[in-house]
Amino acid sequence: MKQLVRAFLAIVVIALLLQYVISEMNSSEGYSGGNTLTIYNWGDYIDPELITKFEKESGIKVIYQTFDSNEAMMTKIAQGGTTFDVAVPSEYAISKMKEEHLLKPIDQSKLPNLKYINHRFLNLSFDPSNKYSIPYFWGTVGIVYNPDMLHGKKITSWNDLWGKDLKNQILLADGAREVMGMGLNSLHYSLNDTKEAHLQQAKQKLDKLTPNVKAIVGDEIKMLLANEEAAVGVVWSGDASEIMGENDKLDYVVPEEGSNLWFDNMVIPKTANNVEGAHKFINFMLDPKNAAQNAEYVGYSTPNEKALNYLPKEIAEDKRFYPDPDVTDKLEVYQNLGKRMLAHYNELFLEFKMHKK
Ligand code: N2P
């Protein structure tokens, strides 16, 4: 009898343990349901205090996960097995996700704070009428550099980066579109070019940059540049603004050959479990005070017109990070080049990375 009781207890313990392990696995894989909300965002892209504030205000528990490229994020969502409620892709990725039926429509009647978004950031071609996406941050791609480390040299163009004086001095953001875009733009081609000959030329040109490239890195690029581990970085504007907050010797320039203008928007993936909570969170992030707090914390530019009133003047009026429409009109937004061409861009970028190693 004793043995039977022991065996029974052992089974109960094992069953409980299994249940615990499964629930842990689910939560780490973006499981949400009940009163939880799973958010999938870029690394270093939110003030953690805002998550706590949202949890307190809404009574919803947030599970927060990060990604470091649109490609990684899309693969994960397309694979299934996750239940992300909110994600933050960039424009070409939003267009691709729409095409692949990976997004749920957004109910704008649940977003009273949408009125604070500047019209310049609404109804853009990747999502006319904002049926699937709501602005979060925007910016450019450019060069952050340390004139002191370059003996006072000013950088103004992509082609400056190929100079012999920059040996082992450049850090590149780890993005396929960004690096390929730099190669294409440096040859005065569009960063949405699809001609094979142009792409090959861009790849060859990038390979020639290799001696000057110290590393291709993720979010640590900010710390490395602020600590003067390298003199030059190819970065998203918001990262530049954060780095310059740490080290005031640095400057940021959008190269004269042209560059990228990008938009990161909040979306509700098809796999969402808590659509109601997702709308609450999106509306919370659209609140001008929250949007300003977020922009000040992460260094990126807010599309929220009213939030600008809550930002320190030196941030809101810095034209390097809040360029006027006549400047941004000259930049290019990444187009959704189609599944095959996007995969080809990735391949070329990976080959460049291998060449670098
Ligand atoms: C934040 C990265 C922002 C990406 N770490 C810009 N699309």
Side-chain angles (χ1 to χ4, degrees), residues 42-43 45 90 219 236 262 264 300:
W42 293 84
Y45 221 30
S90 310
D219 283 326
W236 291 293
W262 55 264
D264 287 346
Y300 277 80

Side-chain angles (χ1 to χ4, degrees), residues 44 144 146 149 171-173 214-215 217-236 238-248 250 298 300:
D44 290 353
V144 64
N146 187 327
M149 288 175 78
L171 294 173
L172 299 178
K214 185 165 188 170
V217 279
D219 283 326
E220 61 272 33
I221 200 165
K222 292 178 278 187
M223 189 259 294
L224 294 170
L225 288 161
N227 290 346
E228 308 194 345
E229 299 283 339
V232 176
V234 173
V235 294
W236 291 293
D239 281 0
S241 141
E242 200 188 328
I243 298 162
M244 287 154 63
E246 302 278 321
N247 185 332
D248 59 10
L250 294 155
V298 297
Y300 277 80

Side-chain angles (χ1 to χ4, degrees), residues 194-213:
T194 56
K195 280 206 188 77
E196 186 54 21
H198 293 175
L199 293 173
Q200 290 301 336
Q201 251 179 288
K203 161 74 171 56
Q204 278 163 20
K205 177 135 190 206
L206 287 172
D207 286 344
K208 288 202 189 107
L209 186 67
T210 309
N212 288 359
V213 178

